[in-house]
Amino acid sequence: MAIGFLVGLFCGALSGLGVGGGSILMVWLTAVRGFDQRIAQGINLLFFLPTALSSAFVHARSRIVETQIVIPAAISGAVAACAGAFLAQRIDTEMLRRLFGALLLVIGALELKKAWTCPKERDLRSGQAHSA
């Protein structure tokens, strides 16, 4: 129970930062705790609601939320989430787990690529040479 509390704190803090604590929660629930993928998804969704609402409140109070972008994105995201949940119920659990793993690998690779290319682009824009 204490470890679950600590994982919740860690994932909640990451969610507040906009990093995606839910992805880490999914990995912990499936890989460490051995939950079925669908059960872990349900837990993750219930975890997401209060963390997203509290983060949204703090960001809105700081006036860093652009409603003209958020509202259409939230509506289309809700529709896509319903379609994804419907699809997830019809896909084999092992396939769902593999698709989620592949998604994490793709996101990780894109983030690594961005981390390696962004400093070079920033140096080029500022006129500084980049030493490798």
Side-chain angles (χ1 to χ4, degrees), residues 8-69:
L9 282 175
F10 179 69
C11 292
L14 290 177
S15 294
L17 293 170
V19 175
S23 298
I24 293 173
L25 181 63
M26 283 292 297
V27 171
W28 181 72
L29 288 171
T30 57
V32 176
R33 294 294 311 271
F35 280 89
D36 176 77
Q37 184 78 19
R38 288 188 180 99
I39 303 261
Q41 287 174 314
I43 292 169
N44 186 43
L45 290 171
L46 288 175
F47 171 85
F48 177 75
L49 290 173
T51 58
L53 288 173
S54 60
S55 294
F57 177 75
V58 170
H59 288 299
R61 279 192 69 193
S62 300
R63 301 192 189 282
I64 57 173
V65 176
E66 296 187 33
T67 54
Q68 67 272 19
I69 295 171

Side-chain angles (χ1 to χ4, degrees), residues 73-116:
I75 292 169
S76 61
V79 170
C82 288
F86 180 79
L87 184 62
Q89 295 304 310
R90 280 140 187 82
I91 295 176
D92 175 63
T93 302
E94 187 58 34
M95 176 59 74
L96 197 57
R97 185 180 285 239
R98 289 174 192 232
L99 289 171
F100 180 70
L103 175 68
L104 290 178
L105 289 173
V106 168
I107 291 171
L110 291 172
E111 287 297 314
L112 285 173
K113 181 180 182 263
K114 186 167 65 171
W116 283 326

